[in-house]
Amino acid sequence: GNSVTQMEGPVTLSEEAFLTINCTYTATGYPSLFWYVQYPGEGLQLLLKATKADDKGSNKGFEATYRKETTSFHLEKGSVQVSDSAVYFCALVPRGATNKLIFGTGTLLAVQP
Amino acid sequence: KAGVTQTPRYLIKTRGQQVTLSCSPISGHRSVSWYQQTPGQGLQFLFEYFSETQRNKGNFPGRFSGRQFSNSRSEMNVSTLELGDSALYLCASSLVLQGWETEAFFGQGTRLTVV
């Protein structure tokens, strides 16, 4: 079946540190891949996406590359800020499944000043 | 451009009651999906509607139902509420680009508490 596995949190970093949140997936065919962010008390916001192998999604300093060989979509940021503190969700949409997101468990990021 | 609007934001219901949640998608978006978020189960897909038709359904009991109106607004209904239905219910609307190239925009959710 289709599934997403994310690294366990919480991840605690100091401001300006480098961030990596690992995400691997299992899917039939080639899904579209997404990172969503959820701030406290809010819904989810799309952070970035990639729809085919080797695509790199990027937004607000965050990047993730669709790696078909390793079935991964790791989220990275070179220098985190306190305002990046949130829960990050990796997700996929199976090819042909239209609007049905399958989410990972989420990773809580806490950035300390 | 207005985002996805969910009403109400908070609800408290008693076991056995039923509840209806509403979602107004972004103008022009015809696909609406619903998700349940709980600490134990995470984010789980409930169902998706497109042009007033249910296109996808998750693994939830029949107590969970939904519908979509001609203006793309959607409602979900939960009957015979159980304590375990307490959750954040999120609605997402999408402009489906090429069948699967979904970019889903989420509302702020409705926090349902069953007592």
Side-chain angles (χ1 to χ4, degrees), chain A residues 37-103:
Chain A
V37 59
Q38 187 175 34
Y39 298 99
E42 300 289 323
L44 277 74
Q45 298 177 25
L46 176 64
L47 184 58
L48 52 84
K49 69 174 185 176
T51 57
K52 59 183 186 298
D54 300 325
D55 265 3
K56 177 187 280 190
S58 61
N59 185 26
K60 299 180 182 179
F62 291 89
E63 292 184 339
T65 301
Y66 190 142
R67 301 285 187 201
K68 186 179 67 173
E69 319 77 44
T70 53
T71 60
S72 64
F73 193 55
H74 304 321
L75 182 68
E76 297 182 334
K77 186 175 185 183
S79 176
V80 294
Q81 306 300 312
V82 172
S83 58
D84 294 327
S85 298
V87 180
Y88 292 81
F89 292 92
C90 185
L92 66 83
V93 171
R95 190 57 53 102
T98 62
N99 186 17
K100 177 182 178 180
L101 283 156
I102 295 169
F103 287 94

Side-chain angles (χ1 to χ4, degrees), chain B residues 18-88:
Chain B
Q18 74 163 13
V19 67
T20 300
L21 312 182
S22 179
C23 173
S24 293
I26 292 171
S27 178
H29 287 194
R30 294 163 60 195
S31 171
V32 174
S33 294
W34 289 88
Y35 296 83
Q36 181 196 65
Q37 185 177 24
T38 60
Q41 299 298 317
L43 277 155
Q44 294 186 289
F45 173 80
L46 279 155
F47 29 66
E48 183 226 356
Y49 286 86
F50 181 81
S51 294
E52 302 178 66
T53 301
Q54 187 181 87
R55 254 194 331 195
N56 281 299
K57 191 177 190 306
N59 295 324
F60 279 82
R63 300 185 297 107
F64 292 81
S65 62
R67 60 177 174 168
Q68 186 180 34
F69 302 94
S70 59
N71 62 358
S72 294
R73 190 177 72 85
S74 178
E75 291 181 345
M76 68 163 280
N77 185 277
V78 187
S79 62
T80 319
L81 283 165
E82 302 176 359
L83 294 178
D85 297 332
S86 296
L88 181 66

